[in-house]
Amino acid sequence: LYLFSAEPIYQDGPMRYVVRQDSAERFQEITTIGALLDCPMRLGVVAAYSYGEWVDRNIAAHDPPREIVTVGDDQGNFFRMLAGGRVDYLFAGTEETVWNLRNNPEYQKKLVTRDLEDAPAGNVRWLMFSKGTPAALLDRINVAIVAVKAGDKYRQIVASAKR
């Protein structure tokens, strides 16, 4: 159906979890997904959403206390629910967490992120093309991907998305 670039353009950071500052101490020693999902705190889960095979499988296996929420088109609604105390923690990708905290002063004051030491690396991102894409164009794009990824600017952008 599709053609893919020869090189990925990016790899997401690992899944993290986010908690409120006022309850962060309760999560201080929790560094694995099993320990997190076995704690009595209430997980926020977006209705009809997959967090990826690793998180979904662990939620099913541990069956934590949870609140299923609807956030509409704005993922920021989920962070607002956490900041407002409707849930105690939520899972979010590295880049999503960084963006939400960086771009909302309220979240910077009220929320903190925690890493999970057993979290796998995030998804690999590729460019997709229709099968009708000329081979010569695809070759030029593949060369350009390698050149861009070798540059300092690309590394700066990737680093800023993950911290």
Side-chain angles (χ1 to χ4, degrees):
L1 281 164
Y2 300 99
L3 299 172
F4 292 88
S5 54
E7 288 284 321
I9 58 169
Y10 183 72
Q11 182 164 17
D12 295 343
M15 186 64 72
R16 293 178 168 175
Y17 70 101
V18 186
V19 301
R20 284 185 310 284
Q21 289 268 6
D22 63 9
S23 64
E25 193 170 299
R26 293 186 221 161
F27 293 90
Q28 194 66 36
E29 302 299 318
I30 297 176
T31 60
T32 66
I33 195 168
L36 179 61
L37 294 172
D38 287 340
C39 82
M41 306 304 282
R42 195 175 25 152
L43 168 63
V45 178
V46 176
Y49 179 80
S50 172
Y51 291 88
E53 188 276 332
W54 181 70
V55 173
D56 293 348
R57 176 174 35 85
N58 275 284
I59 289 173
H62 292 269
D63 194 26
R66 62 183 162 257
E67 172 120 4
I68 298 172
V69 300
T70 303
V71 296
D73 292 338
D74 181 3
Q75 190 67 17
N77 289 334
F78 200 23
F79 283 77
R80 273 190 285 290
M81 289 177 191
L82 175 61
R86 184 165 168 194
V87 298
D88 297 313
Y89 68 100
L90 58 85
F91 287 107
T94 297
E95 296 79 4
E96 174 186 4
T97 303
V98 169
W99 190 91
N100 274 289
L101 270 65
R102 183 181 294 151
N103 290 289
N104 189 312
E106 176 190 1
Y107 302 158
Q108 292 170 18
K109 294 175 192 167
K110 292 185 176 181
L111 305 177
V112 290
T113 62
R114 297 277 189 239
D115 294 329
L116 293 165
E117 60 190 35
D118 55 344
N123 293 329
V124 176
R125 304 299 178 165
W126 305 81
L127 292 180
M128 292 176 56
F129 305 90
S130 71
K131 281 206 178 246
T133 303
L137 176 59
L138 195 52
D139 289 343
R140 290 196 327 259
I141 290 171
N142 285 327
V143 168
I145 290 170
V146 171
V148 167
K149 286 174 62 178
D152 289 339
K153 187 65 174 177
Y154 176 84
R155 284 192 288 279
Q156 291 169 353
I157 291 168
V158 168
S160 74
K162 293 185 178 182
R163 59 175 127 90

